[in-house]
Every structure is written in C-alpha cells, then in structure tokens.
Amino acid sequence: MVIILSLIEFKNVTKQYKNGVTALYELSLEIEKGDFVFIIGSSGGGKSTLIKLLYREEKPTKGTIIMGGINVGKLRNRSVYKLRRKLGIVFQDYRLLPKLTVYENVAFALEAIGEARGNIRPKVLKALELVGLKSKVREYPDNLSGGEQQRVAIARALVNEPKVLICDEPTGNLDPAMSMEIVELLSKINETEGTTVLMVTHDKTIVNKMKKHVIALKDGHLFKDYKKGEYVDEIL
Amino acid sequence: MKFFRIIGRSIRDAFKSVKRNFSLSIASITCVIITLIIVGVALIITFNINDFTTKLKKDLSIVVFVSNEADNFDITSLETQIKAIDNVDPDFVTYQSKAEIKEDMMKNNETFKNIMSAWDDDENPLQNTYIVKVIDANKIGETATAIKNLAKVTRVSYGEGMVEQLLMAFNGVQKFSFIAVIALVVVTTFLIINTIKLTIFSRKREISIMRLVGASNISIKLPFVFEGMLIGIIGSILPIILVVYGYYSLFDIMNGKLLTDIFTLVPPSEIVFKIGAFILLIGAVVGMLGSASAVKKYLKV
C-alpha cells in the first residue's frame, strides 16, 4: 500500500472577490511534496488567485486549503507569518529593496523573522551561492541585470529553507535566454534541496521543454491536470 | 530570549532608519518641533492667566458695615457668626473700627484731614467694619447676602455688579485658555501622526516584504514604534530648551511682571520643568501612537 501525503490540497475552493468577480470555481487539486508544478492558463484564468490563496494574501470564499497541515483559509491575520515562514515567494517584479545591497536584501528576510545574528551570514552566503551570485554580494539591485535581480529574489525566498517555493511569473520580465536560466535554477533547487516548487507562467516554451507536472486553469476551472511529462502544447 | 532580540533589533533599526530616511525624518522632526513650540508657548500663557486670575480672585473681599448701635459684645459675636459661614475664610476676617478708618482717611488726604480732625468719637459718622475674604470667589454674592442677614449688619459691599462681571470674564478666560491648550494638543497630535504616516507610506514596500518573508506583525511594528518615539523625543528637545531658557530670560527682562505691578509673571522655576516634561511626553507618546497606527494599515490583508 502506498500512502501519498499531499503537501498542498485544495478542496472545492471558490474565490469571489468583493467586486463580484469570481476567479475560481469549486477547484480541487493536490500537490505532492517535492513536486515541481507549472500553473498555466490564459489571463484571468485564476492562476494568480490560486497562488494568492496559497500564501494567504486572499482568503477563499468557500472550500478549504491545507498546506503542510495548516488550514490556510482559517488562518488569522496575526498568525499569517507562521505560514509565510514555510514558504518562499518570488514575484515577477522581484520586490527587492533598492537601498540595500544584495547581501542585505537576503539578510533582511532572516532579520525580519528574528534569526540569531550568528546564523545570518552563513545562511545568506549559502543561499547566494545556490543562485550563483556569491560574487555580487556588495552590489545594489539597480546595478544588476533583470535575471540577476530575480536570482537575488530567489535567494531571499530560499534563505529561510522553505518547504514550498511559490513563483508568480518569475520570468515575466526576462528575455527567453534569461528565463530559461531562471527556470533551470528553480529545477535544480527542486532536485537538490527537495523544495516543492509552484510556478505560474504563460511561457509555453518553458513548459514544453521542462516536461513537469502541469496544472492548466481556464476561466476559474481546472482545465486539466497533466502528470509529469504528459503535457503537450494545447490551445489555451 | 527571542523577544529581547526583537526589542534590541527594533531599537537598533529605529536609529538606523531615522538616519537612512534622513530627509523624511527631518520633515517629521521639524513638524514636531514647530507644533510643540506652539504648545509650550500656549502652556506658559495659560499658566500665567490662571495664576493671575486666581490671585485676583483671592483679593476679592466683602466689606461688612456694622450698625453703630452694636456694643462690643455684639461686635465679637458677629465675628464668630461671620466666621461660621461656609464660604468665609476664617483666617481673613479683619475688624476695622471707625476710629481706625478715620485715621487712615486722614493720613491719605489733606481735605479729609481738615474736616475729620474736628470730629470726636461720638460725632464720627463712619461705621465699624469687617473685611471678609471668601474661599470660593464665584459664590461671593451668596456669602454677602448671608452676612447681610446677620443681626447688627446694616450693609455689605463687595463691588456688586462689577465683581460678577469680572468673575465671569475671568472664568471665561480660564476656560478658553484651557480649551485652547487641549485643541492645540489635539491638532499637534494629528499633525505629527500625519507626517509620520507620510514617512511610513514611503516604506510600504519594506513592510510588505517583511510580511511576505514571515515577519510577525509585532516585529514589523516595533521598529516603527521606536522610530516614532525617537522622532518625537528628538523633536521635543528644541522646544523644551526654548521654553525653559526663553521663559527664564523673559522673566528676567520683564522683572517678573508684565507692564504693570498687577500682572506678575509666574516664577519660571515653578512651571518650566512641568511644561518641559509635558512636551517630552507629548512628543514621545504621539510619535509612538502615530507610527503604530500608520503601520497598522499595512498589516491587514
């Protein structure tokens, strides 16, 4: 008997925004520990909503979301940080602090959660090494290329050794070559660190090439859940 | 342990970010300085007005004219009766015989002297009097009536009509200055809170990232609270110096009085340190509250 414990579970999740727009309808899906998942779909399909529900930027209107044993939808505002410490989040626009160096930007994440000072330096350097930016610790984000800035953001997301890495269109601002580099980096992290990676994208070249687990959303419904390697480019 | 680490880091961060966001910190501090100077000046004025009116109220007295038919026994018993009245200050009931009054008047004026020197004791048309001071000046009218109803009192006088108007004016001024100070403190609070809100608005991104990486609300809030307190304290230094030294030198230059001998200034040592402490308190508390309430807005999702 094989028991598969899913790390993330959506059960009949509906999300209706205050302005009346319904972004997700009765969505149910499971994601296993250590998985690498692409979430694809047309604009307005509910990709970003799904991710926002996961890191509790939004609350589901109906249904339950369980992540690593935490009932995300029921989480109180002041307890959100407990969830966030198990997650690393990467955005399209990097969200770095321009007045801090690369090192300080990554260290900021550890300082914010009250990490002991002695632990900060080795952890930051390890994360920056993982993303290949150890040589740029003293640079400011504005002096880096888009791909490098995104690597800093990934290092910041990883420095706390999260169980899940959530990436919302991380390659949206990057050219194809850089995009591929970033995705390969994420794939490497998934394999070497065992971090579960969820990546929202609309870049079909990447999805086609990587042959990973793909969840396709359409108009707020689950269009298709392709197991690893099943995905072939379809009209979406 | 972790709690103390957060406190320690918060205080360190507060200093760091005041320095790092220098221009905005200066803007906030300037706003705090200006408003607190105004509050300080208003407080000095209020203290002085209060002191002045209280002194004047204390000087108000009732003159009780005793009937010339009263003998010595009547006069003494009248004193006991006057002192027994509620609002009368028993330490300030002074008797002045008509002979003493005559002497006084003769000393002060040549004409009186010429006329009055001819009077002997039986011819003296003046009346024996009691000068009575009251505890609560606002009730002087009632007290005067109560005294008038006592036996052997022919008449009482306390400047009826005029005194009531004067008292009303004093009470009005006292109330107005009190309200003005409260209003000023409220306005100051709003001004400071708003400036601090501006500085925090510019750091929305920082806050959102802190939240994203899993900082608890309290550990996000604390550095800002300390920062607000720091801005408030720095901003109150100059107003305190100005109030203390300013009032001391004003007092010296004016010789402790304003234009006339009637309006004496409150000695600086009695009030400046109270006012200084009050300014520091407003600065620190308002700075703290301001930043706490400003950050709160960005901690809701």
Side-chain angles (χ1 to χ4, degrees):
Chain A
M1 194 173 72
V2 182
I3 302 169
I4 297 169
L5 281 178
S6 43
L7 182 66
I8 299 166
E9 193 179 351
F10 275 63
K11 249 190 247 168
N12 306 318
V13 175
T14 297
K15 174 65 190 176
Q16 184 171 30
Y17 285 101
K18 277 189 187 133
N19 61 9
V21 176
T22 306
L24 290 176
Y25 298 91
E26 298 281 319
L27 184 75
S28 295
L29 53 88
E30 289 181 16
I31 292 165
E32 285 163 31
K33 192 166 180 278
D35 207 352
F36 190 117
V37 189
F38 284 115
I39 298 163
I40 60 167
S42 50
S43 303
K47 295 173 303 205
S48 290
T49 303
L50 190 149
I51 286 227
K52 279 181 184 162
L53 288 171
L54 265 182
Y55 66 85
R56 181 44 183 71
E57 182 78 20
E58 297 288 346
K59 280 183 178 177
T61 317
K62 263 194 285 181
T64 49
I65 301 165
I66 311 281
M67 154 129 47
I70 297 176
N71 189 339
V72 178
K74 289 258 161 64
L75 211 54
R76 281 162 171 266
N77 190 33
R78 63 180 146 82
S79 304
V80 168
Y81 74 94
K82 291 177 187 160
L83 170 74
R84 300 269 169 95
R85 286 182 187 189
K86 299 187 174 184
L87 302 175
I89 310 167
V90 176
F91 296 94
Q92 182 174 358
D93 58 359
Y94 325 130
R95 303 210 185 165
L96 300 174
L97 293 169
K99 285 182 184 169
L100 302 186
T101 63
V102 167
Y103 177 88
E104 286 167 338
N105 261 292
V106 179
F108 184 79
L110 289 176
E111 281 164 6
I113 62 171
E115 180 73 55
R117 271 211 269 181
N119 294 342
I120 291 179
R121 197 174 160 80
K123 282 193 174 185
V124 172
L125 292 179
K126 188 186 162 219
L128 283 171
E129 193 166 14
L130 193 65
V131 299
L133 278 180
K134 214 179 168 186
S135 59
K136 307 233 170 179
V137 286
R138 282 175 213 284
E139 297 283 346
Y140 284 88
D142 289 345
N143 298 335
L144 302 178
S145 72
E148 285 169 333
Q149 289 188 47
Q150 193 58 291
R151 282 159 188 266
V152 178
I154 292 171
R156 184 182 64 196
L158 286 175
V159 73
N160 195 27
E161 290 162 1
K163 291 191 165 68
V164 183
L165 188 60
I166 295 175
C167 311
D168 194 356
E169 308 234 14
T171 60
N173 285 349
L174 304 175
D175 63 35
M178 268 188 188
S179 298
M180 212 53 224
E181 268 179 33
I182 293 290
V183 175
E184 269 158 12
L185 172 64
L186 292 175
S187 178
K188 187 184 104 187
I189 290 161
N190 171 247
E191 280 158 25
T192 60
E193 309 291 310
T195 313
T196 310
V197 178
L198 261 72
M199 175 170 160
V200 167
T201 186
H202 54 246
D203 189 334
K204 281 180 190 154
T205 336
I206 289 175
V207 180
N208 275 324
K209 206 168 167 187
M210 298 300 289
K211 311 230 181 298
K212 303 277 187 188
H213 182 183
V214 178
I215 291 171
L217 298 176
K218 194 178 181 188
D219 304 328
H221 296 276
L222 181 65
F223 179 73
K224 204 164 177 185
D225 193 342
Y226 304 88
K227 292 283 164 283
K228 194 175 174 182
E230 275 182 10
Y231 178 76
V232 279
D233 201 359
E234 288 184 50
I235 308 141
L236 262 179
Chain B
M1 183 61 208
K2 193 166 181 187
F3 178 73
F4 290 111
R5 198 151 68 216
I6 290 177
I7 297 262
R9 188 181 67 89
S10 303
I11 295 173
R12 218 169 37 241
D13 279 6
F15 279 95
K16 234 191 331 194
S17 60
V18 165
K19 232 167 37 188
R20 195 175 266 155
N21 303 286
F22 189 70
S23 55
L24 276 169
S25 301
I26 288 291
S28 298
I29 290 170
T30 313
C31 167
V32 174
I33 288 175
I34 292 169
T35 46
L36 286 184
I37 287 176
I38 297 172
V39 169
V41 171
L43 279 172
I44 286 180
I45 294 173
T46 310
F47 270 112
N48 273 296
I49 288 175
N50 248 317
D51 183 66
F52 176 65
T53 49
T54 315
K55 265 188 214 150
L56 281 192
K57 276 182 184 175
K58 267 195 194 146
D59 281 346
L60 290 178
S61 47
I62 304 170
V63 183
V64 182
F65 294 92
V66 183
S67 158
N68 279 341
E69 288 153 20
D71 53 27
N72 280 345
F73 175 77
D74 290 334
I75 289 170
T76 344
S77 93
L78 183 61
E79 180 167 341
T80 324
Q81 288 175 59
I82 290 173
K83 282 182 179 172
I85 292 172
D86 253 356
N87 195 30
V88 169
D89 189 340
D91 298 334
F92 290 96
V93 177
T94 19
Y95 177 71
Q96 241 189 336
S97 71
K98 56 185 184 182
E100 284 163 7
I101 299 171
K102 183 181 133 189
E103 291 297 316
D104 270 0
M105 291 174 82
M106 281 168 64
K107 255 184 242 159
N108 289 337
N109 190 300
E110 272 305 303
T111 327
F112 283 163
K113 192 177 174 181
N114 294 336
I115 302 169
M116 288 178 174
S117 55
W119 298 346
D120 64 31
D121 276 353
D122 290 334
E123 283 173 328
N124 186 346
L126 298 169
Q127 283 177 292
N128 297 321
T129 59
Y130 273 108
I131 313 286
V132 177
K133 287 200 175 171
V134 293
I135 297 166
D136 181 358
N138 294 323
K139 289 184 189 152
I140 196 167
E142 293 162 34
T143 313
T145 318
I147 294 173
K148 189 169 190 289
N149 291 337
L150 298 174
K152 307 289 178 194
V153 174
T154 51
R155 200 160 62 85
V156 292
S157 160
Y158 61 94
E160 298 91 323
M162 201 191 80
V163 165
E164 272 91 5
Q165 277 183 356
L166 197 68
L167 279 175
M168 217 155 66
F170 285 174
N171 290 339
V173 168
Q174 276 182 335
K175 244 183 238 158
F176 175 79
S177 61
F178 185 66
I179 291 170
V181 166
I182 299 241
L184 260 173
V185 170
V186 171
V187 170
T188 308
T189 310
F190 273 106
L191 260 170
I192 296 176
I193 286 180
N194 271 319
T195 336
I196 289 179
K197 270 188 180 163
L198 273 180
T199 66
I200 285 178
F201 176 78
S202 72
R203 288 156 67 189
K204 221 167 61 180
R205 192 182 179 89
E206 208 175 306
I207 296 172
S208 79
I209 292 172
M210 287 173 97
R211 229 177 116 71
L212 217 52
V213 298
S216 60
N217 286 0
I218 184 82
S219 70
I220 296 176
K221 221 186 214 178
L222 268 181
F224 286 100
V225 170
F226 283 120
E227 193 180 331
M229 200 171 89
L230 194 63
I231 286 177
I233 290 173
I234 293 175
S236 59
I237 292 172
L238 198 62
I240 290 173
I241 293 173
L242 268 176
V243 165
V244 173
Y245 280 90
Y247 191 56
Y248 262 111
S249 36
L250 180 81
F251 191 83
D252 280 349
I253 293 167
M254 306 293 258
N255 275 327
K257 60 196 185 217
L258 205 64
L259 306 174
T260 69
D261 283 337
I262 302 170
F263 201 132
T264 52
L265 293 168
V266 184
S269 58
E270 279 178 25
I271 56 166
V272 284
F273 296 105
K274 269 188 228 164
I275 295 178
F278 187 64
I279 289 175
L280 186 71
L281 190 77
I282 298 185
V285 170
V286 170
M288 261 168 70
L289 291 181
S291 46
S293 79
V295 177
K296 211 168 153 190
K297 207 173 114 191
Y298 302 109
L299 294 181
K300 283 184 199 143
V301 175

